[in-house]
């Protein structure tokens, strides 16, 4: 049989390698900017068109290349950065594989212009799909310009896999943030479709963070500094009260290289323990300097993972350094008047407030009720029979006097001092329960089960409604309607609410502005990094506004859909998810009835907007069967 193995031609090998190195336009941006930094540039300009799908250009003022190097740099494994495998362990450059340019040139139209400081003329090289189409001398400024056009032009399948421009731009901005944060000593300028998105002058790290994430970031930062034999840690963590639901601003840099490390992330979360509400994420910008011989960055082709010799020690150091800073800068969860209302999660508050007294009320409730309703004798004898009679009798007088006291005059309440603090709390709620109880007794329509379900009867049997899902459905349909016909009712705020966001978040909010207004939001301004809100939808509280917007940003994240309907749908989903009652919230009978009526007035009452059953029914037949 004939031999069948053959060596792949270079351009095929390069295309295959490109699959690893270049996943999307953002990968090109990363590789080109890193090359510019490795070339010692102090000024780097990034220009993109159509989220990098049409054009990515990086211009630097670095060392440039000679004619020969300019030609060689597109060859596979062509690198000036390492000579032998051991060099890998002493690496101080971003790149080292010599794969990036070869890969990019294999799958795009590339144009290189470069000149070294001392050379009189530079050189221009054009490559299409790995083939050189032009090489000639050129008049170029010192440094290098690399232009990458029509990415994946020869791999339609890859091109089709690219996401919407908004998503791809988001990825590019993420990559840009990472290098820009790691190199505050480099001036970056970033244009997208002719608009300047970022202009970051040379700065210190704190200023760089602020110029990327907006003016209000400064006050949120707590410095971290720790020097040990294994590692030097520096940078900042965000104050706990500015924690977000999304994991946006979390950065680790090891020897100035951005890395992802779930393990070290965990160390930070451990340091924040007790300072954050459930599910909230702190921001951090942490720089770890370690001996480059103790790490291995070669384990991942795009080099965002890293292997440390001694992860456990790093974990411990990092955790204690962050903890120390949080303690030193007295970052307890204080209420700061200036801070935005992000801090109070209304659900948690509601849960706490409602849940606590209710437990007390339940315990105290029966004896109370027995007296007012004058059904006491019968029930009491029953209770007495259960063996607690003696105890109960002892208590009885106090209850009596308290009851009288509350109803006649306040002075008497003071005499029952030992109780007053407790009873005052419960008094309010008890009063309410009484009213509701009356309604319920007369109508007997609904009751709440385990603070989670609302049970009601129908002709054929009974319905058990999941209160959260049902409320989501009701709100969802209401907001869909409000947004579509633009009739959401707005409540004016006495004092406008000012919130701050980063560039990307702002552009998302701009996109959704009209729809948000449909729900009842009114924006005074929406400029730069500031949103001023002077009207909010009915039934939304001020403290919920920041949470809603944060949630929107999280939910939409990378994916701003192009279709208007999908945007409306997602917005309505975010709102209903954020605003619906949770499990654990006590509903008054009136609220329960409202919920039932509103749910069954919906177009799609059976399912929550997230396609979960909103209620189940149990027919009399089903129940009968249970008794068989
Ligand atoms: P690597 O960065 O891993 O060495 P690349 O394919 O990214 O591989 O680049 C190949 C070589 O081309 C680099 O080692 C460097 O010598 C040269 N080079 C690439 N970009 C630039 C630039 N902007 N300025 C100067 N030299 C560059
Ligand atoms: Mg490189």
């Amino acid at each position: 049989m004939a031999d069948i193995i053959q060596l792949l031609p270079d351009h095929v090998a390069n295309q295959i390698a490109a699959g690893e190195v270049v996943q999307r336009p953002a990968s090109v941006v990363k590789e080109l900017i890193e090359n510019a930094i490795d070339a010692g540039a102090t000024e780097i300009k990034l220009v993109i068109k159509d989220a990098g799908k049409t054009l990515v250009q990086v211009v630097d003022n670095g060392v440039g290349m000679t004619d020969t190097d300019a030609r060689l740099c597109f060859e596979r494994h062509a690198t000036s950065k390492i000579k032998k495998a051991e060099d890998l362990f002493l690496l101080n450059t971003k790149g080292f594989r010599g794969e990036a340019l070869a890969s990019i040139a294999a799958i795009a139209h590339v144009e290189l212009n470069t000149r070294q400081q001392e050379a009189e003329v530079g050189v221009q090289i054009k490559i299409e799909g790995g083939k050189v189409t032009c090489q000639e001398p050129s008049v170029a400024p010192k440094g290098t310009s690399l232009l990458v056009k029509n990415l994946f032009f020869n791999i339609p399948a890859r091109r089709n896999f690219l996401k919407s421009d908004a998503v791809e731009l988001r990825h590019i901005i993420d990559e840009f943030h990472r290098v820009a944060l790691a190199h505050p000593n480099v001036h970056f300028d970033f244009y997208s479709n002719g608009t300047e998105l970022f202009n970051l002058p040379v700065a210190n790290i704190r200023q760089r963070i602020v110029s990327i994430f907006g003016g209000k970031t400064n006050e949120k930062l707590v410095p971290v500094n720790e020097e040990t034999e294994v590692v030097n840690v520096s940078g900042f963590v965000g104050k706990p009260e500015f924690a977000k639901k999304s994991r946006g601003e979390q950065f680790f840099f090891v020897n100035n290289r951005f890395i992802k490390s779930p393990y070290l992330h965990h160390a930070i979360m451990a340091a924040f323990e007790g300072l954050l509400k459930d599910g909230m994420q702190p921001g951090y910008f942490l720089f770890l300097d370690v001996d480059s011989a103790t790490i291995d960055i070669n384990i991942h082709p795009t080099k965002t993972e890293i292997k440390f010799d001694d992860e456990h020690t790093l974990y411990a150091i990092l955790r204690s350094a962050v903890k120390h800073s949080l303690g030193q800068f007295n970052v307890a969860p204080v209420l700061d008047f200036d801070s935005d209302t992000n801090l109070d999660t209304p659900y948690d508050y509601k849960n706490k407030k409602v849940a606590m007294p209710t437990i007390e009320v339940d315990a105290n409730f029966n004896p109370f009720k027995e007296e007012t309703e004058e059904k006491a004798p019968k029930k009491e004898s029953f209770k007495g029979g259960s063996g607690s009679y003696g105890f109960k009798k002892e208590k009885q007088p106090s209850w009596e006097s308290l009851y009288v006291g509350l109803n006649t005059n306040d002075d008497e309440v003071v005499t029952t001092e030992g109780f007053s603090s407790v009873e005052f709390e419960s008094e309010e709620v008890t009063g309410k329960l009484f009213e509701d109880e009356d309604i319920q007794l007369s109508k007997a329509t609904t009751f709440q089960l385990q603070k989670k379900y609302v049970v009601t009867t129908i002709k054929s049997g009974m319905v058990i409604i999941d209160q959260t899902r049902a409320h989501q459905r009701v709100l969802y349909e209401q907001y869909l309607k409000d947004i579509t016909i633009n009739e959401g009712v707005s409540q004016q705020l006495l004092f406008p609410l000012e919130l701050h966001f980063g560039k990307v978040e702002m552009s998302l909010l701009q996109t959704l502005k009209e729809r948000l207004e449909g729900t009842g939001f009114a924006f005074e301004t929406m400029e730069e990094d500031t949103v001023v809100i002077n009207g909010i939808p009915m039934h939304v509280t001020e403290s919920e506004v920041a949470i809603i917007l944060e949630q929107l940003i999280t939910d939409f994240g990378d994916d701003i859909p192009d279709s208007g309907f999908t945007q409306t749908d997602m917005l309505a989903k975010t709102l209903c998810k954020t605003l619906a009652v949770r499990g654990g919230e006590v509903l008054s009978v009136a609220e329960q009835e409202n919920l039932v009526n509103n749910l069954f007035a919906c177009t799609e009452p059976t399912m929550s907007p997230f396609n979960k059953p909103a209620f189940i029914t149990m027919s009399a037949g089903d129940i009968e069967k249970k008794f068989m």
Side-chain angles (χ1 to χ4, degrees), residues 35-36 39 60 63-65 73 78-81 95-101 144:
N35 279 348
D60 69 55
V63 292
M65 283 179 265
C73 73
T79 179
S80 56
K81 297 167 194 173
F96 54 84
R97 290 167 174 260
E99 271 177 344
L101 291 184
T144 303

PDB file of all heavy atoms in Angstrom, residues 35-36 39 60 63-65 73 78-81 95-101 144, ligand 1:
ATOM      1  N   ASN A  35       2.452  42.997  21.062  1.00  0.00           N
ATOM      2  CA  ASN A  35       3.678  43.153  20.277  1.00  0.00           C
ATOM      3  C   ASN A  35       4.208  44.581  20.385  1.00  0.00           C
ATOM      4  O   ASN A  35       5.411  44.797  20.496  1.00  0.00           O
ATOM      5  CB  ASN A  35       3.419  42.816  18.805  1.00  0.00           C
ATOM      6  CG  ASN A  35       3.446  41.317  18.559  1.00  0.00           C
ATOM      7  OD1 ASN A  35       3.863  40.541  19.417  1.00  0.00           O
ATOM      8  ND2 ASN A  35       2.987  40.908  17.376  1.00  0.00           N
ATOM      9  N   ALA A  36       3.298  45.540  20.346  1.00  0.00           N
ATOM     10  CA  ALA A  36       3.707  46.944  20.438  1.00  0.00           C
ATOM     11  C   ALA A  36       4.375  47.208  21.782  1.00  0.00           C
ATOM     12  O   ALA A  36       5.390  47.904  21.870  1.00  0.00           O
ATOM     13  CB  ALA A  36       2.501  47.851  20.247  1.00  0.00           C
ATOM     14  N   ALA A  39       7.703  45.836  21.919  1.00  0.00           N
ATOM     15  CA  ALA A  39       8.626  46.641  21.111  1.00  0.00           C
ATOM     16  C   ALA A  39       8.987  47.944  21.810  1.00  0.00           C
ATOM     17  O   ALA A  39       9.616  48.824  21.221  1.00  0.00           O
ATOM     18  CB  ALA A  39       8.003  46.931  19.744  1.00  0.00           C
ATOM     19  N   ASP A  60       2.300  51.863  16.658  1.00  0.00           N
ATOM     20  CA  ASP A  60       3.124  52.112  17.848  1.00  0.00           C
ATOM     21  C   ASP A  60       4.375  52.907  17.490  1.00  0.00           C
ATOM     22  O   ASP A  60       4.732  53.035  16.336  1.00  0.00           O
ATOM     23  CB  ASP A  60       3.485  50.776  18.530  1.00  0.00           C
ATOM     24  CG  ASP A  60       4.457  49.934  17.707  1.00  0.00           C
ATOM     25  OD1 ASP A  60       5.548  50.433  17.337  1.00  0.00           O
ATOM     26  OD2 ASP A  60       4.121  48.747  17.434  1.00  0.00           O
ATOM     27  N   VAL A  63      10.387  50.008  18.636  1.00  0.00           N
ATOM     28  CA  VAL A  63      11.687  49.927  17.965  1.00  0.00           C
ATOM     29  C   VAL A  63      11.608  49.679  16.456  1.00  0.00           C
ATOM     30  O   VAL A  63      12.561  49.935  15.736  1.00  0.00           O
ATOM     31  CB  VAL A  63      12.587  48.817  18.570  1.00  0.00           C
ATOM     32  CG1 VAL A  63      13.000  49.190  19.983  1.00  0.00           C
ATOM     33  CG2 VAL A  63      11.865  47.468  18.539  1.00  0.00           C
ATOM     34  N   GLY A  64      10.467  49.201  15.970  1.00  0.00           N
ATOM     35  CA  GLY A  64      10.362  48.927  14.535  1.00  0.00           C
ATOM     36  C   GLY A  64      11.137  47.680  14.147  1.00  0.00           C
ATOM     37  O   GLY A  64      11.734  47.004  14.980  1.00  0.00           O
ATOM     38  N   MET A  65      11.117  47.372  12.828  1.00  0.00           N
ATOM     39  CA  MET A  65      11.802  46.160  12.362  1.00  0.00           C
ATOM     40  C   MET A  65      12.654  46.477  11.140  1.00  0.00           C
ATOM     41  O   MET A  65      12.345  47.389  10.376  1.00  0.00           O
ATOM     42  CB  MET A  65      10.772  45.086  11.981  1.00  0.00           C
ATOM     43  CG  MET A  65      10.156  44.379  13.159  1.00  0.00           C
ATOM     44  SD  MET A  65       8.924  43.162  12.624  1.00  0.00           S
ATOM     45  CE  MET A  65       7.426  44.085  12.734  1.00  0.00           C
ATOM     46  N   CYS A  73       8.832  38.094  10.313  1.00  0.00           N
ATOM     47  CA  CYS A  73       7.911  38.058  11.461  1.00  0.00           C
ATOM     48  C   CYS A  73       6.625  37.324  11.139  1.00  0.00           C
ATOM     49  O   CYS A  73       5.905  36.891  12.042  1.00  0.00           O
ATOM     50  CB  CYS A  73       7.635  39.459  11.990  1.00  0.00           C
ATOM     51  SG  CYS A  73       6.568  40.456  10.949  1.00  0.00           S
ATOM     52  N   ALA A  78       8.525  32.364  14.265  1.00  0.00           N
ATOM     53  CA  ALA A  78       9.502  33.440  14.106  1.00  0.00           C
ATOM     54  C   ALA A  78       9.338  34.394  15.270  1.00  0.00           C
ATOM     55  O   ALA A  78       8.313  35.050  15.395  1.00  0.00           O
ATOM     56  CB  ALA A  78       9.255  34.169  12.782  1.00  0.00           C
ATOM     57  N   THR A  79      10.323  34.420  16.125  1.00  0.00           N
ATOM     58  CA  THR A  79      10.241  35.317  17.279  1.00  0.00           C
ATOM     59  C   THR A  79      11.620  35.841  17.634  1.00  0.00           C
ATOM     60  O   THR A  79      12.627  35.169  17.412  1.00  0.00           O
ATOM     61  CB  THR A  79       9.630  34.590  18.499  1.00  0.00           C
ATOM     62  OG1 THR A  79       9.588  35.507  19.597  1.00  0.00           O
ATOM     63  CG2 THR A  79      10.439  33.368  18.910  1.00  0.00           C
ATOM     64  N   SER A  80      11.645  37.045  18.138  1.00  0.00           N
ATOM     65  CA  SER A  80      12.911  37.591  18.605  1.00  0.00           C
ATOM     66  C   SER A  80      13.014  37.447  20.113  1.00  0.00           C
ATOM     67  O   SER A  80      13.970  37.887  20.724  1.00  0.00           O
ATOM     68  CB  SER A  80      12.968  39.074  18.226  1.00  0.00           C
ATOM     69  OG  SER A  80      11.833  39.738  18.753  1.00  0.00           O
ATOM     70  N   LYS A  81      11.984  36.801  20.715  1.00  0.00           N
ATOM     71  CA  LYS A  81      11.875  36.917  22.167  1.00  0.00           C
ATOM     72  C   LYS A  81      12.471  35.765  22.959  1.00  0.00           C
ATOM     73  O   LYS A  81      12.864  35.940  24.104  1.00  0.00           O
ATOM     74  CB  LYS A  81      10.415  37.159  22.540  1.00  0.00           C
ATOM     75  CG  LYS A  81       9.965  38.498  21.938  1.00  0.00           C
ATOM     76  CD  LYS A  81       8.489  38.729  21.968  1.00  0.00           C
ATOM     77  CE  LYS A  81       8.148  39.913  21.050  1.00  0.00           C
ATOM     78  NZ  LYS A  81       6.711  40.111  20.893  1.00  0.00           N
ATOM     79  N   GLY A  95       4.738  38.236  24.336  1.00  0.00           N
ATOM     80  CA  GLY A  95       4.697  37.151  23.366  1.00  0.00           C
ATOM     81  C   GLY A  95       5.956  36.322  23.467  1.00  0.00           C
ATOM     82  O   GLY A  95       6.901  36.694  24.145  1.00  0.00           O
ATOM     83  N   PHE A  96       5.966  35.173  22.838  1.00  0.00           N
ATOM     84  CA  PHE A  96       7.175  34.360  22.793  1.00  0.00           C
ATOM     85  C   PHE A  96       7.014  33.191  21.842  1.00  0.00           C
ATOM     86  O   PHE A  96       7.969  32.553  21.456  1.00  0.00           O
ATOM     87  CB  PHE A  96       7.559  33.841  24.186  1.00  0.00           C
ATOM     88  CG  PHE A  96       6.430  33.111  24.866  1.00  0.00           C
ATOM     89  CD1 PHE A  96       6.194  31.771  24.600  1.00  0.00           C
ATOM     90  CD2 PHE A  96       5.613  33.770  25.772  1.00  0.00           C
ATOM     91  CE1 PHE A  96       5.158  31.100  25.229  1.00  0.00           C
ATOM     92  CE2 PHE A  96       4.573  33.098  26.402  1.00  0.00           C
ATOM     93  CZ  PHE A  96       4.337  31.764  26.132  1.00  0.00           C
ATOM     94  N   ARG A  97       5.777  32.939  21.420  1.00  0.00           N
ATOM     95  CA  ARG A  97       5.575  31.763  20.599  1.00  0.00           C
ATOM     96  C   ARG A  97       5.883  32.001  19.128  1.00  0.00           C
ATOM     97  O   ARG A  97       6.010  31.059  18.356  1.00  0.00           O
ATOM     98  CB  ARG A  97       4.120  31.304  20.693  1.00  0.00           C
ATOM     99  CG  ARG A  97       3.768  30.740  22.023  1.00  0.00           C
ATOM    100  CD  ARG A  97       2.273  30.618  22.134  1.00  0.00           C
ATOM    101  NE  ARG A  97       1.920  29.949  23.361  1.00  0.00           N
ATOM    102  CZ  ARG A  97       1.585  28.661  23.443  1.00  0.00           C
ATOM    103  NH1 ARG A  97       1.533  27.920  22.365  1.00  0.00           N
ATOM    104  NH2 ARG A  97       1.292  28.122  24.589  1.00  0.00           N
ATOM    105  N   GLY A  98       5.905  33.262  18.755  1.00  0.00           N
ATOM    106  CA  GLY A  98       6.136  33.572  17.352  1.00  0.00           C
ATOM    107  C   GLY A  98       5.042  33.026  16.454  1.00  0.00           C
ATOM    108  O   GLY A  98       5.268  32.665  15.309  1.00  0.00           O
ATOM    109  N   GLU A  99       3.843  32.965  16.982  1.00  0.00           N
ATOM    110  CA  GLU A  99       2.736  32.398  16.216  1.00  0.00           C
ATOM    111  C   GLU A  99       1.738  33.435  15.760  1.00  0.00           C
ATOM    112  O   GLU A  99       1.027  33.231  14.779  1.00  0.00           O
ATOM    113  CB  GLU A  99       1.969  31.405  17.105  1.00  0.00           C
ATOM    114  CG  GLU A  99       2.481  30.013  17.051  1.00  0.00           C
ATOM    115  CD  GLU A  99       1.709  29.120  18.004  1.00  0.00           C
ATOM    116  OE1 GLU A  99       1.004  29.635  18.900  1.00  0.00           O
ATOM    117  OE2 GLU A  99       1.831  27.902  17.847  1.00  0.00           O
ATOM    118  N   ALA A 100       1.666  34.530  16.497  1.00  0.00           N
ATOM    119  CA  ALA A 100       0.546  35.451  16.293  1.00  0.00           C
ATOM    120  C   ALA A 100       0.503  36.002  14.873  1.00  0.00           C
ATOM    121  O   ALA A 100      -0.500  35.863  14.176  1.00  0.00           O
ATOM    122  CB  ALA A 100       0.622  36.577  17.309  1.00  0.00           C
ATOM    123  N   LEU A 101       1.596  36.610  14.452  1.00  0.00           N
ATOM    124  CA  LEU A 101       1.553  37.262  13.138  1.00  0.00           C
ATOM    125  C   LEU A 101       1.363  36.245  12.015  1.00  0.00           C
ATOM    126  O   LEU A 101       0.617  36.499  11.067  1.00  0.00           O
ATOM    127  CB  LEU A 101       2.807  38.103  12.921  1.00  0.00           C
ATOM    128  CG  LEU A 101       2.880  39.353  13.823  1.00  0.00           C
ATOM    129  CD1 LEU A 101       4.106  40.196  13.495  1.00  0.00           C
ATOM    130  CD2 LEU A 101       1.613  40.204  13.702  1.00  0.00           C
ATOM    131  N   THR A 144       5.937  50.884  14.300  1.00  0.00           N
ATOM    132  CA  THR A 144       5.279  49.878  13.471  1.00  0.00           C
ATOM    133  C   THR A 144       3.780  50.149  13.403  1.00  0.00           C
ATOM    134  O   THR A 144       3.167  50.528  14.401  1.00  0.00           O
ATOM    135  CB  THR A 144       5.490  48.481  14.092  1.00  0.00           C
ATOM    136  OG1 THR A 144       6.887  48.262  14.212  1.00  0.00           O
ATOM    137  CG2 THR A 144       4.873  47.386  13.230  1.00  0.00           C
TER     138      THR A 144
HETATM  139  P1  LIG B   1       5.925  36.749  19.372  1.00  0.00           P
HETATM  140  O1  LIG B   1       5.331  38.015  19.859  1.00  0.00           O
HETATM  141  O2  LIG B   1       5.446  35.571  20.106  1.00  0.00           O
HETATM  142  O3  LIG B   1       7.404  36.806  19.248  1.00  0.00           O
HETATM  143  P2  LIG B   1       4.626  37.435  16.924  1.00  0.00           P
HETATM  144  O4  LIG B   1       4.172  36.624  15.782  1.00  0.00           O
HETATM  145  O5  LIG B   1       3.583  38.196  17.662  1.00  0.00           O
HETATM  146  O6  LIG B   1       5.390  36.492  17.910  1.00  0.00           O
HETATM  147  O7  LIG B   1       5.725  38.422  16.427  1.00  0.00           O
HETATM  148  C1  LIG B   1       6.864  37.928  15.784  1.00  0.00           C
HETATM  149  C2  LIG B   1       8.024  38.890  15.913  1.00  0.00           C
HETATM  150  O8  LIG B   1       7.771  40.055  15.136  1.00  0.00           O
HETATM  151  C3  LIG B   1       8.269  39.394  17.310  1.00  0.00           C
HETATM  152  O9  LIG B   1       9.085  38.502  18.049  1.00  0.00           O
HETATM  153  C4  LIG B   1       8.963  40.724  17.051  1.00  0.00           C
HETATM  154  O10 LIG B   1      10.340  40.544  16.877  1.00  0.00           O
HETATM  155  C5  LIG B   1       8.363  41.178  15.733  1.00  0.00           C
HETATM  156  N1  LIG B   1       7.318  42.188  15.940  1.00  0.00           N
HETATM  157  C6  LIG B   1       5.984  41.953  15.928  1.00  0.00           C
HETATM  158  N2  LIG B   1       5.293  43.091  16.148  1.00  0.00           N
HETATM  159  C7  LIG B   1       6.197  44.077  16.308  1.00  0.00           C
HETATM  160  C8  LIG B   1       6.111  45.494  16.565  1.00  0.00           C
HETATM  161  N3  LIG B   1       4.916  46.117  16.733  1.00  0.00           N
HETATM  162  N4  LIG B   1       7.258  46.199  16.656  1.00  0.00           N
HETATM  163  C9  LIG B   1       8.453  45.575  16.502  1.00  0.00           C
HETATM  164  N5  LIG B   1       8.602  44.257  16.263  1.00  0.00           N
HETATM  165  C10 LIG B   1       7.489  43.501  16.165  1.00  0.00           C
END
